[in-house]
Amino acid sequence: MAQFYLRHPTIQRLSVLALPCVICLLLLAGCDTVSSTRPASTTTQENAGEQNGGGRYAIQPGDLLLISVAGEPDFNQQVRVDWNGRINLPYLTGRGRSEIRAAGLSSSGLAERITEFAQHSTVLLNPRIQVLVMEYSNQMFVVLGQVNQPGRYAFPHGLPPRMDLEDAIGTGGGYTRLARQSVILVKRGSLIYKVDLRKMTTHPGEPRFIVLPGDVITVTERLF
C-alpha cells in the first residue's frame, strides 16, 4: 500500500519532508484504488501512444497497399500483404513471380526496399516508389463498461490505427448516466492504465491518451 502512494502523481510533486504527513492523511481517508493497475503518469501516457516503432506504423499481413511509381501511372497498383508478410510485384521484373518482404516495415521503409529491388530490373529506369496503406488489417479496439454501445470497433480506414481515448469512447456511443469519467481503465497487453479523462477534457494542457490496436477500454461505474 505504501508503494502505491509513493507512486501517486500528486505525492511526487510534494517535498520529501511532507511525505509522511500526506501518507497518513491518505490512509485515514481510505481513498479508492484500483487493484493490479498502474497509474498512468504524464510520461507513461505520452509513451503509451508511441509504442510500436516510435509512432511509425509497421505494415502487417492483410494490409492493402497502394504502390505508385512517379511518372509511370501504368505501373501503379494495389496489392495486399499475404499472411506470410510478403507482396508479389511481378511487373517490376517482367518475368514470373517476384516476392518482397513487407511486414514489419514502415511505408517509407518498404518504398526504399521496392526501389532497391526495381533498380536491378530493366523494366524501369531510376524508379521512384511511394507506398500508401489503403486499408489496415484487423486493427481493432474494444470499449466496455458504462458506454451506450459496448463492443469491438475498427480504426477508420486509410488512417494510421491511432485514436484519442475520448474519441474511442465516442465510437462506443458515449457515456451512460452511470459512467465514472475520472476512472477509465485501458488494458494493453499485460499493463492496465488508469486514466482520469474528466481531468484531461477540462484541462487543455493535459497530455492526451492515445488508443492503439488491441486496447481494451473499460469505463467504470460511479460510486454513490
Side-chain angles (χ1 to χ4, degrees), residues 109-189:
L110 179 58
E112 292 176 2
R113 178 170 292 185
I114 295 174
T115 298
E116 182 180 355
F117 182 85
Q119 285 173 346
H120 296 87
S121 170
T122 58
V123 177
L124 295 172
L125 182 64
N126 296 323
R128 290 178 295 164
I129 308 295
Q130 183 178 18
V131 177
L132 178 66
V133 181
M134 300 296 294
E135 183 179 301
Y136 295 92
S137 170
N138 197 28
Q139 300 297 312
M140 312 285 285
F141 62 93
V142 177
V143 185
L144 302 174
Q146 295 300 321
V147 292
N148 290 302
Q149 297 173 359
R152 184 178 175 88
Y153 293 93
F155 289 88
H157 291 305
L159 296 174
R162 296 161 56 87
M163 184 180 292
D164 185 271
L165 178 57
E166 187 177 11
D167 293 336
I169 293 173
T171 303
Y175 300 110
T176 69
R177 63 183 183 84
L178 299 178
R180 189 181 184 187
Q181 300 179 33
S182 60
V183 181
I184 310 295
L185 304 180
V186 181
K187 186 177 186 299
R188 179 174 297 161

Side-chain angles (χ1 to χ4, degrees), residues 5 11 14 18-31:
Y5 291 117
I11 296 176
L14 298 176
L19 278 176
C21 296
V22 175
I23 292 174
C24 291
L25 289 174
L26 289 175
L27 287 171
L28 291 173
C31 76

Side-chain angles (χ1 to χ4, degrees), residues 64-68 76-79 130-134:
L64 180 65
L65 310 178
L66 171 63
I67 299 174
S68 57
N76 297 348
Q77 75 170 64
Q78 290 189 5
V79 59
Q130 183 178 18
V131 177
L132 178 66
V133 181
M134 300 296 294

